[in-house]
C-alpha cells in the first residue's frame, strides 16, 4: 500500500495520494471579495495547481463535491465550472447548499483524481 501526504499541517493535508488516486482537501477562494463566479474560478485554479503538484490534472478527475452558500448563485458557479471542466470528461459530482467555515466564502470544492498511467 502506498500512501503519501503533501502540504500538511497539524490538522490536515491539502493532498493525499493512495494507490494511484489523488484526494484533495476542500479548496476555498483566496479573494473572498469576488462574486460567486470569481470565487469559483479561484478555487478551480487552485485545484489545477494542486493536481499538477500531485502529478495529475483535471483530465483525470473522478469525482467532485461542491458546496455553495446560496443556490440562488448556483448558475454562476456552474458557468465557471462548465468553462473549466474537460469537455466529454466531467467527473461524477454532487453540489449542495451549505454554510461554510467563513461567511465571506461562497464556494468550496473537493475533488478526487486518478494518476495517469505511466
Amino acid at each position: 500500500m502506498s500512501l503519501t501526504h503533501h502540504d500538511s499541517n497539524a490538522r490536515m493535508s491539502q493532498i493525499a495520494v493512495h494507490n494511484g488516486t489523488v484526494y484533495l482537501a476542500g479548496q476555498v477562494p483566496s479573494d473572498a471579495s469576488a462574486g460567486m463566479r470569481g470565487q469559483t474560478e479561484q478555487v478551480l485554479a487552485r485545484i489545477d495547481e494542486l493536481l499538477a503538484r500531485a502529478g495529475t490534472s483535471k483530465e483525470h478527475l473522478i469525482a467532485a463535491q461542491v458546496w455553495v452558500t446560496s443556490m440562488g448563485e448556483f448558475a454562476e458557479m456552474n458557468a465557471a465550472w462548465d468553462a473549466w471542466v474537460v469537455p466529454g470528461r466531467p467527473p461524477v459530482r454532487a453540489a449542495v447548499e451549505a454554510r461554510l467555515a467563513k461567511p465571506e466564502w461562497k464556494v468550496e470544492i473537493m475533488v478526487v483524481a486518478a494518476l495517469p498511467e505511466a
Side-chain angles (χ1 to χ4, degrees), residues 78-111:
N78 271 330
W81 176 271
D82 292 344
W84 175 79
V85 76
V86 176
R89 300 198 65 176
V92 297
R93 189 184 96 168
V96 298
E97 184 177 81
R99 190 169 56 200
L100 301 180
K102 290 189 177 180
E104 61 269 24
W105 291 339
K106 294 178 172 285
V107 62
E108 182 169 350
I109 302 174
M110 189 167 104
V111 302

Side-chain angles (χ1 to χ4, degrees), residues 17 19 30 32 39 41-42 64 66 84 86 106 108 111 114-115:
V17 181
N19 289 340
S30 55
Q39 287 194 22
E41 289 168 347
Q42 292 171 42
V66 180
W84 175 79
V86 176
K106 294 178 172 285
E108 182 169 350
V111 302
L115 286 173

Side-chain angles (χ1 to χ4, degrees), residues 2-78:
S2 65
L3 175 60
T4 58
H5 297 88
H6 306 275
D7 298 345
S8 303
N9 61 31
R11 179 168 292 142
M12 62 184 283
S13 297
Q14 291 298 313
I15 304 168
V17 181
H18 178 256
N19 289 340
T21 304
V22 175
Y23 302 84
L24 297 188
Q27 299 302 308
V28 294
S30 55
D31 176 8
S33 68
M36 175 64 85
R37 183 167 184 154
Q39 287 194 22
T40 304
E41 289 168 347
Q42 292 171 42
V43 169
L44 296 173
R46 176 73 174 144
I47 288 170
D48 282 336
E49 292 170 13
L50 291 170
L51 290 174
R53 229 166 36 230
T56 190
S57 67
K58 65 185 175 184
E59 285 82 12
H60 301 282
L61 285 179
I62 297 168
Q65 295 176 339
V66 180
W67 296 271
V68 297
T69 56
S70 170
M71 282 298 182
E73 296 180 289
F74 192 63
E76 293 177 55
M77 182 281 299
N78 271 330

